[in-house]
């Protein structure tokens, strides 16, 4: 597993920690591959009862690496590692917990929609600026988010690009609990360990019943990815990526 994703075992919990703080944990192809491998490993391991995804203090994940977006725009497609990761999230059978401290942008937020329990810190901020980047929602978020919070609130997030603070995220069901930054990792670890300690088969069956038919979600992910790939090649998207890369530094 690459150094930008750390993998550890804590009892019956597999912990995957995003570890690219200098780039705000923006996800590269290798990081998606490492996350997918982690989820597959948990699925295959009877000892593992839950998987926990953590970021770094002050930043969960700044979304897809924008340099990679620019590369995909030249090559076409959205990149196999991304698609594989989204499919791995759908195929994941172990309860997935996340601990979010600081920003969760783009897929940093949409991956949470595939989690079963999310703990956020008081300084967590959630944003999906897809449309501002001339892109469209991904990771099945166009299906899951309106189901979770209703069309109009989801529209604020997915189309208007509004940032949700931790309180709003809690109120709209995006996260389960909000704690102080100091308590974040401990709370997330405790939640994952508590889930992992429950009767495994019953957890797996209950979870699968609640998730419903994965084919519907996979079809939406494919549809989003097709459109996303087209949008990546658009002139307005290229302009938005260039604006980010050449923005004045604070
Ligand atoms: N892709 C590539 N690099 C990224 C990145 C991304 N998604 N997000 C942050 N970085 C890089 C910056 O380019 C910068 O690199 P540098 O130090 O080599 O110049 C470094 O991470 C620090 O980012 P910076 O913007 O200076 O930090 P900040 O604390 O001021 O802001 C964010 C943090 C997350 C709010 C801001 O970086 C951001 O908006 N990132 C883009 C998020 C995004 O639009 N993602 C795609 C969603 S679809």
């Amino acid at each position: 597993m690459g150094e930008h994703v750390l993998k550890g075992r804590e009892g019956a919990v597999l912990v995957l920690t995003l570890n690219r703080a200098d780039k705000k944990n923006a996800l590269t192809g290798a990081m998606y591959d490492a996350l997918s491998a982690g989820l597959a490993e948990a699925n295959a391991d009877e000892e593992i009862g839950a998987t926990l995804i953590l970021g770094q203090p002050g930043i969960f994940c700044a979304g897809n690496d924008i340099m990679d977006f620019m590369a995909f725009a030249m090559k076409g497609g959205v990149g196999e590692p991304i698609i594989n990761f989204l499919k791995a999230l759908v195929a994941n059978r172990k309860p997935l917990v996340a601990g979010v401290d600081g920003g969760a942008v783009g897929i940093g937020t949409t991956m949470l929609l595939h989690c079963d329990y999310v703990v956020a810190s008081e300084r967590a901020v959630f944003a999906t600026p897809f449309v501002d980047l001339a892109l469209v929602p991904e990771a099945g978020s166009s299906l899951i988010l309106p189901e979770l919070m209703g069309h109009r609130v989801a529209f604020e997030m997915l189309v208007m690009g509004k940032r949700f603070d931790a309180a709003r995220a809690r109120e709209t069901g995006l996260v389960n609990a909000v704690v102080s930054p100091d308590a974040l990792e401990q709370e997330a670890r405790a939640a994952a360990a508590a889930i992992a300690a429950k009767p495994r088969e019953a957890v797996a069956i209950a979870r699968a019943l609640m998730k419903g038919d994965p084919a519907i979600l996979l079809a939406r992910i494919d549809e989003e990815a097709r459109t996303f790939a087209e949008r990546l090649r658009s002139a307005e998207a290229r302009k938005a990526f260039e604006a980010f890369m050449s923005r004045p530094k604070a």
Side-chain angles (χ1 to χ4, degrees):
M1 190 158 291
E3 58 174 0
H4 288 149
V5 177
L6 307 175
K7 186 184 71 177
R9 281 166 176 257
E10 297 175 14
V13 177
L14 186 81
V15 185
L16 301 170
T17 305
L18 305 176
N19 184 39
R20 196 186 178 214
D22 60 326
K23 295 289 180 186
K24 302 288 168 183
N25 283 342
L27 297 176
T28 61
M31 291 168 77
Y32 285 115
D33 285 344
L35 291 169
S36 302
L39 294 176
E41 180 179 326
N43 269 353
D45 190 335
E46 283 181 12
E47 300 296 312
I48 295 296
T51 303
L52 170 63
I53 300 182
L54 295 172
Q56 293 295 320
I59 182 72
F60 179 67
C61 173
N64 200 94
D65 188 289
I66 288 183
M67 293 296 279
D68 281 6
F69 269 163
M70 292 170 91
F72 295 137
M74 308 291 282
K75 282 191 289 198
V78 295
E80 216 178 328
I82 302 179
I83 298 298
N84 289 344
F85 174 58
L86 300 181
K87 292 188 170 164
L89 284 171
V90 179
N92 172 47
R93 292 192 308 276
K94 298 294 166 91
L96 192 57
V97 176
V100 180
D101 184 24
V105 188
I107 198 163
T109 283
T110 57
M111 76 166 82
L112 303 174
L113 301 173
H114 300 269
C115 292
D116 301 286
Y117 192 87
V118 181
V119 187
S121 81
E122 287 151 353
R123 63 182 178 184
V125 181
F126 304 83
T128 55
F130 298 117
V131 169
D132 292 328
L133 290 168
L135 301 171
V136 290
E138 39 68 309
S141 58
S142 67
L143 183 70
I144 305 172
L145 209 70
E147 274 177 4
L148 179 68
M149 48 183 77
H151 172 82
R152 284 180 297 141
V153 181
F155 190 88
E156 278 186 58
M157 180 160 246
L158 289 181
V159 180
M160 297 172 77
K162 281 201 188 170
R163 293 150 58 95
F164 284 22
D165 63 13
R168 186 111 200 264
R170 170 78 185 79
E171 176 193 306
T172 55
L174 188 57
V175 307
N176 295 78
V178 179
V179 300
S180 74
D182 288 348
L184 191 264
E185 289 203 3
Q186 193 191 334
E187 289 287 333
R189 283 188 155 87
I195 296 165
K198 292 190 179 291
R200 294 279 163 78
E201 288 173 16
V203 168
I205 296 165
R207 184 176 177 277
L209 283 166
M210 292 171 70
K211 289 261 180 194
D213 184 357
I216 296 170
L217 184 53
L218 285 170
R220 179 62 64 97
I221 286 172
D222 281 344
E223 192 184 339
E224 289 170 345
R226 263 196 308 278
T227 322
F228 201 99
E230 285 167 19
R231 299 300 313 157
L232 275 175
R233 291 196 299 278
S234 68
E236 57 185 14
R238 196 164 50 244
K239 208 169 134 195
F241 302 153
E242 282 166 4
F244 175 75
M245 296 320 293
S246 61
R247 73 202 183 288
K249 295 281 166 180

